[in-house]
């Protein structure tokens, strides 16, 4: 079984949540006999194919971007060529250029799309994109939603319920490096061993301005790991508020990130918009047995973090409620420890890489059998 994944970015050019999911998916299904390849776009000068964890990665030049929509003329030919050798083509949505490339490359192989998120921000351009989007979603054999919460709250997915199924993300703890005791001690000396931790790309929908407002009148230490387009804006906001107990440490390598995940008291994840469709770093907190605070935005964040069980869930864009939740955990160590233990248990029950890989591997085989039998994809011609 050969599967081709198509997404706009991949390691080492980008380390975002979708890239992490694709990597975990390739690693997990690879153990089940699937031969994975990835096609992505890049601005790097050296675009020779390379191997990453047993997965062949192909990159083509990124020519230009329109409203964050990466485009590449070479990608169309590369997609057509690589798809000819694949048994299944696995797309990762949203990426409007991908939809167009699917048709221009005349893909006829069994296909599925993991629906990572609705398009939330570019509302005016979305109107122009709607016909292409729906034609693409009609044309693929299966759509995969990443949580039952997102399936229930997405108007787009509601239109394709007959061809959509839920497969949640999964992580493999063994792929995370074990930090040395020396590294852990270095971070403990710098940040202490009781602090709230945020990990992620510093983007507009992460709600970090809400977190900063929440701790204006609290003296709980907060460590923010990550870089991104609003980093300087957030630092300026923290400086205006006089937040000496908030530490921005920038983007870190995995050993440093794991050291902080192991050290932290709890994970604060204040994303307030539906652009946060799941929350991989929130799931990492659960995997490391940490209590979590997140917002109810109708997405996978509340599938990971169950209010009152694995952590606390607050209304979005509410600094007072977020601060109150932080106070509850801070002042109740026994409660925090119990929630962290239940978070780890929930991770093991629902969110392991093995479970995700087994579900996708079975779906790949189903799609190949369906095409071999000449069955028309559900929803085709809708």
């Amino acid at each position: 079984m050969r599967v081709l994944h198509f997404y706009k970015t991949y390691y080492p050019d980008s380390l975002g949540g979708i890239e992490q999911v694709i990597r975990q998916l390739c690693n997990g299904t690879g153990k089940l006999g699937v031969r994975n390849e990835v096609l992505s776009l890049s601005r790097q000068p050296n675009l020779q194919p390379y191997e990453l964890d047993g997965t062949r990665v192909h990159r083509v030049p990124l020519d230009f971007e329109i409203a964050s929509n990466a485009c590449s003329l070479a990608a169309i030919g590369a997609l057509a060529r690589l798809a000819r050798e694949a048994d299944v083509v696995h797309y990762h949505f949203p990426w409007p250029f991908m939809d167009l490339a699917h048709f221009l490359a005349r893909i006829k192989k069994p296909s599925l799309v993991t629906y990572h998120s609705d398009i939330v921000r570019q509302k005016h351009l979305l109107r122009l994109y709607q016909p292409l989007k729906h034609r693409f979603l009609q044309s693929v054999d299966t759509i995969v939603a990443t949580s039952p919460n997102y399936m229930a709250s997405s108007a787009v997915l509601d239109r394709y319920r007959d061809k959509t199924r839920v497969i949640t993300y999964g992580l493999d703890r063994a792929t995370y490096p074990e930090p040395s005791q020396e590294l852990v001690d270095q971070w403990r000396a710098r940040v202490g061993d009781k602090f709230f931790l945020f990990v992620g790309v510093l983007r507009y929908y992460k709600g970090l301005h809400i977190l900063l407002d929440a701790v204006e009148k609290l003296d709980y230490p907060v460590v923010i790991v990550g870089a991104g387009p609003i980093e300087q804006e957030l630092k300026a906001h923290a400086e205006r508020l006089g937040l000496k107990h908030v530490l921005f440490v920038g983007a870190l390598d995995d050993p440093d990130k794991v050291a902080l995940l192991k050290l932290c008291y709890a994970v604060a994840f204040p994303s307030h918009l539906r652009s946060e469709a799941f929350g991989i770093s929130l799931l990492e907190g659960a995997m490391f047995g940490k209590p979590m605070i997140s917002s109810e935005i109708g997405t996978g964040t509340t599938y990971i973090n169950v209010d009152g069980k694995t952590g606390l869930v607050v209304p979005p864009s509410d600094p007072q409620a977020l601060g109150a939740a932080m106070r509850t955990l801070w002042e109740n160590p026994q409660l925090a420890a119990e929630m962290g233990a239940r978070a780890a248990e929930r991770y093991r029950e629902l969110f392991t890489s093995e479970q995700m890989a087994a579900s996708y591997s079975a779906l790949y085989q189903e799609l190949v059998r369906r095409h071999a039998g000449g069955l028309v994809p559900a929803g085709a011609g809708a």
Side-chain angles (χ1 to χ4, degrees):
M1 173 76 68
R2 299 184 65 171
V3 175
L4 173 65
H5 295 265
F6 188 36
Y7 187 58
K8 59 184 176 181
T9 54
Y10 197 59
Y11 292 87
D13 298 305
S14 178
L15 308 176
I18 295 178
E19 294 87 337
Q20 169 76 314
V21 169
I22 297 172
R23 186 175 183 179
Q24 294 276 343
L25 183 54
C26 289
N27 289 347
T29 57
K31 296 174 183 177
L32 300 176
V34 176
R35 293 176 58 190
N36 291 284
E37 294 187 86
V38 176
L39 174 61
S40 68
L41 279 52
S42 176
R43 295 187 185 276
Q44 299 300 318
N46 181 9
L47 297 180
Q48 291 299 313
Y50 65 94
E51 297 280 333
L52 178 67
D53 302 329
T55 297
R56 187 73 165 171
V57 181
H58 307 265
R59 294 183 293 176
V60 292
L62 192 164
D63 295 327
F64 59 92
E65 291 184 275
I66 302 175
S68 301
N69 180 35
C71 302
S72 168
L73 297 177
I76 299 167
L79 176 61
R81 174 176 54 83
L82 293 169
R84 283 195 292 270
E85 304 300 321
D87 297 300
V88 176
V89 179
H90 190 158
Y91 297 106
H92 295 270
F93 183 98
W95 179 25
F97 173 78
M98 172 187 71
D99 305 13
L100 181 63
H102 166 77
F103 293 110
L104 293 178
R106 300 178 183 274
I107 301 301
K108 303 299 182 183
K109 292 294 180 75
S111 61
L112 72 151
V113 58
T114 297
Y115 193 94
H116 295 279
S117 173
D118 292 330
I119 296 177
V120 177
R121 200 176 194 188
Q122 294 90 355
K123 293 183 178 180
H124 296 297
L125 291 175
L126 181 58
R127 293 192 186 96
L128 298 175
Y129 168 53
Q130 291 276 29
L132 174 61
K133 177 183 73 174
H134 287 297
R135 187 182 173 198
F136 171 73
L137 293 175
Q138 289 164 3
S139 72
V140 296
D141 296 299
T142 299
I143 301 170
V144 176
T146 58
S147 72
N149 299 47
Y150 212 89
M151 175 72 180
S153 64
S154 171
V156 175
L157 291 180
D158 187 61
R159 182 169 173 172
Y160 298 99
R161 283 185 175 273
D162 62 330
K163 64 189 298 183
T164 302
R165 64 185 67 186
V166 174
I167 302 177
T168 63
Y169 295 153
L171 299 177
D172 182 358
R173 174 66 178 86
T175 63
Y176 287 72
E178 190 65 29
S180 67
Q181 188 58 50
E182 179 183 6
L183 182 60
V184 173
D185 291 341
Q186 288 175 359
W187 277 111
R188 180 182 285 111
R190 184 176 177 187
V191 301
D193 54 8
K194 189 176 182 181
F195 59 91
F196 288 95
L197 177 68
F198 168 86
V199 179
V201 179
L202 307 188
R203 301 188 189 279
Y204 71 97
Y205 58 83
K206 295 292 184 180
L208 287 167
H209 61 291
I210 303 163
L211 177 60
L212 297 179
D213 289 341
V215 298
E216 180 182 7
K217 297 180 180 179
L218 301 173
D219 59 357
Y220 309 147
V222 175
V223 177
I224 296 176
V225 176
I230 65 168
E231 181 175 357
Q232 296 309 314
E233 176 184 329
L234 290 170
K235 288 179 176 179
H237 187 49
E239 186 174 352
R240 283 194 302 272
L241 296 176
L243 302 181
K244 304 300 183 184
H245 52 296
V246 175
L247 180 64
F248 292 85
V249 298
L252 299 177
D253 292 333
D254 282 346
D256 295 281
K257 185 178 78 170
V258 172
L260 289 171
L261 280 165
K262 296 183 73 171
L263 277 174
C264 75
Y265 183 70
V267 169
F269 199 78
S271 295
H272 64 304
L273 298 173
R274 282 183 58 83
S275 298
E276 188 67 79
F278 193 81
I280 288 296
S281 59
L282 188 67
L283 183 55
E284 288 174 335
M287 183 173 67
F288 282 92
K290 302 299 178 176
M292 299 166 282
I293 301 174
S294 58
S295 298
E296 178 54 83
I297 51 177
T299 71
T301 61
T302 317
Y303 188 56
I304 300 168
N305 184 26
V306 180
D307 186 35
K309 182 178 179 180
T310 62
L312 299 173
V313 177
V314 301
S317 303
D318 190 336
Q320 289 73 32
L322 179 57
M326 296 174 76
R327 184 181 298 107
T328 296
L329 290 185
W330 192 267
E331 295 179 355
N332 296 275
Q334 182 62 33
L335 175 65
E338 291 170 355
M339 287 180 166
R342 289 193 291 265
E345 182 181 358
R346 186 168 175 81
Y347 156 74
R348 290 190 295 269
E349 289 177 354
L350 298 173
F351 300 113
T352 65
S353 175
E354 291 82 2
Q355 291 164 305
M356 176 177 69
S359 296
Y360 271 107
S361 181
L363 176 56
Y364 295 153
Q365 295 173 32
E366 176 190 329
L367 293 180
V368 170
R369 289 195 301 268
R370 188 189 301 174
H371 271 249
L375 297 180
V376 177

